Amino acid sequence: WRQEIVKEVGGADKLFFAQKPALLVPWDCDDLNWTALAADEEVHSPSRKWDKKYDTCFIGHFHSQYAEERARYVDALFSALPNFFFGTRFFQEMADKFAQTRLVFNKALNSDINMRFYEAQMSGSALLTDRINPDMEDAGYLDGKHYIGYSSMDEMLDKARYYLKHEDAREAIAIAGKAHTLASHTYINRALDILKHISKEVAQCL
């Protein structure tokens, strides 16, 4: 299937990819660009200031071939910390559930920086996420400053327990994560980056 996609976009002047590993595919194009996913303040910021109702939450799914590991981590987290929310929500409703949560859980399915990474931080709650993707730092996110990183199940549980007990430290990370996302990782940021790249005239106007 990858060969078919490569063939289909052959001859394009510029290509933009949401995930950085796509730059390594032999596309028939010399101008390849990483344009990461992002969040939108109007869509992914909570509708109001919510009280914290849950210790942890996960909004997502497990229907991928890569989801078995995610399911194990979610099960371990919710078993250890049973005051959780789990379900499917979208847009504003998702942001509101995130905002009601002390720690929003994330685990990438395939070592990617997924939408949840940005959207959870836009909600103003602290993000607990795996740190396996080095592109997080390339995007300006620092472990322990903008998000809470883990590399194993034991570390995930230890970090979750620690930050649930230390509200000031947790909220400082939540505030920093949202501020950085607002400043550099909205879809307006992404659109402007693309416009600047494809047109020198547009870039001069911006």
Side-chain angles (χ1 to χ4, degrees), residues 6-7 9-15 25-32:
V6 170
K7 187 186 303 181
V9 299
D13 295 327
K14 303 174 189 296
L15 292 175
V25 176
W27 304 97
D28 184 17
C29 178
D30 295 327
D31 194 345
L32 307 178

Side-chain angles (χ1 to χ4, degrees), residues 3 9 23 28 51 61 72 80 82 85 87 89 94 101 103 111 113 126 129 132 140-141 146 165 191 193 203 206:
Q3 291 180 337
V9 299
L23 301 177
D28 184 17
D51 292 331
H61 54 74
R72 288 199 315 108
F85 175 82
R89 298 290 188 276
M94 175 184 67
T101 303
L103 293 172
S111 304
I113 305 182
T129 185
I132 56 176
Y141 289 99
H146 301 108
K165 290 179 181 178
D193 288 342
L206 298 174

Side-chain angles (χ1 to χ4, degrees), residues 149-160:
Y150 64 85
S151 298
S152 68
M153 188 176 291
D154 286 341
E155 186 181 14
M156 173 194 70
L157 295 173
D158 288 345
K159 289 284 184 71

Side-chain angles (χ1 to χ4, degrees), residues 14-18 31 33-36 186-200 202-203 206:
K14 303 174 189 296
L15 292 175
F16 298 86
F17 301 98
D31 194 345
N33 305 275
W34 177 42
T35 306
T186 67
Y187 284 108
I188 293 295
N189 294 134
R190 299 294 185 260
L192 291 175
D193 288 342
I194 292 173
L195 288 173
K196 290 175 183 178
H197 195 83
I198 63 177
S199 172
K200 292 182 180 179
V202 171
L206 298 174

Side-chain angles (χ1 to χ4, degrees), residues 5 14 28 31 44 67 79 93 95 104 114 117-118 120 126 141 144 148 163 171 175-176 179 190 204:
I5 293 176
K14 303 174 189 296
D28 184 17
D31 194 345
H44 302 121
S79 295
E93 194 175 1
V104 179
N114 54 30
F117 180 85
Y118 300 99
Y141 289 99
I148 301 163
Y163 281 102
E171 289 306 302
I175 291 169
R190 299 294 185 260
Q204 290 173 353

